[in-house]
Amino acid sequence: MSNKIYKSKMKDENRLLGKFVNISLIALSIIFVLLFLKIIVTEISFHKMIDGMVEGIDYYIEDIIITDKETVEDYYGSESGTTNYFFYYGHDTDKRMQVNQKVYSQYNVGDMFPAYTKNHYYYGSTINSVLPKTRYKNNELSKAGIVTIGCLILLLLIYKWIDNLGKKTNNK
């Protein structure tokens, strides 16, 4: 008799787990779609904002002197890592801008570099550096979030697929 009770209890637990997985999939899918739409709308507004900006009024392109160059390597394991490239400018040692590897290799210390600015104090290497920092940062974080949610959805779908395979083999 205890074997039947155990099997019945296991079926109930599996049913609850299945419902939890289904509800999680639905919730994550809705969040994924909404976040995806938010990213698209924000990107479109950024492009419109950039297209509407006028050099000399909304932003400036000024030549700055590169006072130092630095590469920072971040390793998150023995095999993988990222390298960030920076130009220092101005008389303060804490003022730096991140550039890509191609730009970093083209310029040397003492060279003039055309940089974007809104306030003549902080400079950036791309037009994106004159966008509102908080909105731009939040949009970039949303992109990372959508990748994470997509991975969770994929894992739940794989779990459901394996669970269905297990049920089919048990029924045969």
Side-chain angles (χ1 to χ4, degrees), residues 67-84:
T67 57
D68 197 10
K69 291 170 64 171
E70 177 187 29
T71 58
V72 177
E73 296 182 13
D74 295 324
Y75 287 100
Y76 300 106
S78 60
E79 305 271 332
S80 65
T82 60
T83 303
N84 297 306

Side-chain angles (χ1 to χ4, degrees), residues 72-97:
V72 177
E73 296 182 13
D74 295 324
Y75 287 100
Y76 300 106
S78 60
E79 305 271 332
S80 65
T82 60
T83 303
N84 297 306
Y85 303 92
F86 297 98
F87 286 161
Y88 286 88
Y89 59 91
H91 302 293
D92 299 334
T93 57
D94 63 336
K95 292 193 321 188
R96 69 180 185 176
M97 76 175 84

Side-chain angles (χ1 to χ4, degrees), residues 36-55:
F36 185 75
L37 291 174
K38 177 192 169 284
I39 291 169
I40 288 175
V41 168
T42 306
E43 287 291 323
I44 290 170
S45 80
F46 282 161
H47 286 292
K48 285 182 181 177
M49 190 183 300
I50 288 172
D51 290 342
M53 288 181 167
V54 177
E55 184 183 346

